[in-house]
Amino acid sequence: MSKQEAECWAAPHPPGGRTCYRVVMWLVDAVDEQMLIVCRRKRAEIVQRMQQAGVRGARGVLSEAQHELQTLNRNICRAAFDFFTRAQGVRASELRAALRADAGVLGYRLGDAAAEVWLELVDEEGVGEHIARWQAALPDVLWCAESIVEQVPSHDVTDMQQTAHAAGAECTEEAAENVAEFSHTTVLLEEAASALQAAQGKVMVDATLGGGGHSERLLQAGASVWGIDQDPAARAAARRRLADYGEQMHVLAGNFRHIKTLLHSHGVDAVDGVLADLGISSPQVDTAERGFSFMAEGPLDMRMDPMLPRSAADIVNEASETELADILWQYGEERASRAIARRIVRQREHGRIVTTTQLASIISSVSPRRGRQHPATRSFQALRIAVNDELGALDELLSGGLSMLRSGGRMAIITFHSLEDRKVKQFFERVTKPEIDRPEWTHPRPNPEYSARSLTRKPMVPGEAELIANPRSRSAKLRVIEKL
Ligand SMILES: C[S@@+](CC[C@H](N)C(=O)[O-])C[C@H]1O[C@@H](n2cnc3c(N)ncnc32)[C@H](O)[C@@H]1O
């Protein structure tokens, strides 16, 4: 019988800022006793070397020893996960339940005879107490008395969660299959495809897959496409629409801020094009239950990725008045930010604000309609940006995307509001200037970030025909650069 794939799971919340640990525990016969004896001896030797190096302050020796220790632990872990037992698998539902019920567990990988767990200590308990409790969930199996406990940086944990969420995405997508028809009109379709020079043999990333409109155009031109989206409903719709392209199309679940990790984990190191059509899709706005629209009654949610820890309702009901005002001002440029925040805080004394229309009417009571714009437009935009950390993700996409491009590869970004566009414009300026100058310098100096040339001195915008056919395209702007 072939060895089964390990089962991965990640908690919906990211690390909370405390020290994180990686724990590996295994069944008693999963790792050869001789191997453990050798490892134990080697570990004692390394620890002694580390202590001596610590006393002498020899940083080089210390980090070399730490590296050896990690390799040793990795080898034990690999051996434990390679073991295959038909009789006493640790993938028992009791262990799974115990791990998921533990507030400190950020994720796990369960093999046939071993478990790898990422843990953050959230209360008074030590790592050993957690391990004892997990192992007690499976009293009938014989656990090895020793286990591996390593401190890990929180970005490692975030990467693990990202991969596990991607692996687990299929089940969520099945649920999303039941979602009503996905209808989104793609903006600047021909402009984006021709800017990217999609063609046979080229590899493109569509970082905002949505309903798959842009991807389809790139596939038609012969390129192969890696499409990323954090929304299961969008991925399900794109999979359906692009099913005929088979292996030419790959759908990845995740946030585009992890573009590099997502592609690297699939063996892709460089690409010819990166496209992003930022913001939300029409079905996201139009589905009342997603909570993006102030026009339709729905839960105050606004999460593009349903696994995100904080919904709009959490922010509206839990943020301080100053925090709320800052969000409305920074992400919505809402002039009445302070007054709206004050009113929200006063209103929530009477109970939680839970629906879109409830919030919209609180905002309207403070800030009257200005011209054609609904008074809640800016506040809703601000909350959406905060919930999804849209600007932080964009920063990471820009630098990660550029670093993934081959020489001659292109990056095309479509924005829909001034905050996004400013970020893209400033980033593109920063990486396309051969030199930089400062008032205190006598001469300009070479720009260390210079790595691309701009292909759009002014952003491309929709033509009249597109504006008439799709009024939602009115604020779209496309900027493009080419890697040197
Ligand atoms: C405007 S739609 C894209 C529409 C698509 N170009 C089409 O033609 O159908 C934007 C999509 O990007 C996704 N998205 C936005 N921010 C994201 C992020 N940080 N990571 C991954 N997907 C994101 C949204 O869930 C949404 O489906």
Side-chain angles (χ1 to χ4, degrees), residues 186 208-214 229-230 254-256 277 279-280 284 304:
T186 301
T208 49
L209 180 62
H214 281 114
D229 209 295
Q230 57 179 336
N255 193 304
F256 60 48
D277 170 18
I280 43 178
Q284 284 169 329
M304 290 191 217

Side-chain angles (χ1 to χ4, degrees), residues 182 184-187 189 206-215 228-232 234-235 241 252-258 275-282 284 290 304-305 388-390 393-394 397 414 416:
F182 194 101
H184 175 85
T185 309
T186 301
V187 303
L189 177 64
D206 180 353
T208 49
L209 180 62
H214 281 114
S215 284
I228 303 173
D229 209 295
Q230 57 179 336
D231 182 341
R235 292 194 300 271
R241 176 173 178 171
L252 301 180
N255 193 304
F256 60 48
R257 72 191 322 153
H258 302 300
L275 169 70
D277 170 18
L278 299 174
I280 43 178
S281 64
S282 301
Q284 284 169 329
R290 302 295 300 262
M304 290 191 217
D305 173 357
N388 298 289
D389 186 21
E390 291 181 33
L394 176 57
L397 169 72
I414 302 172
F416 288 86

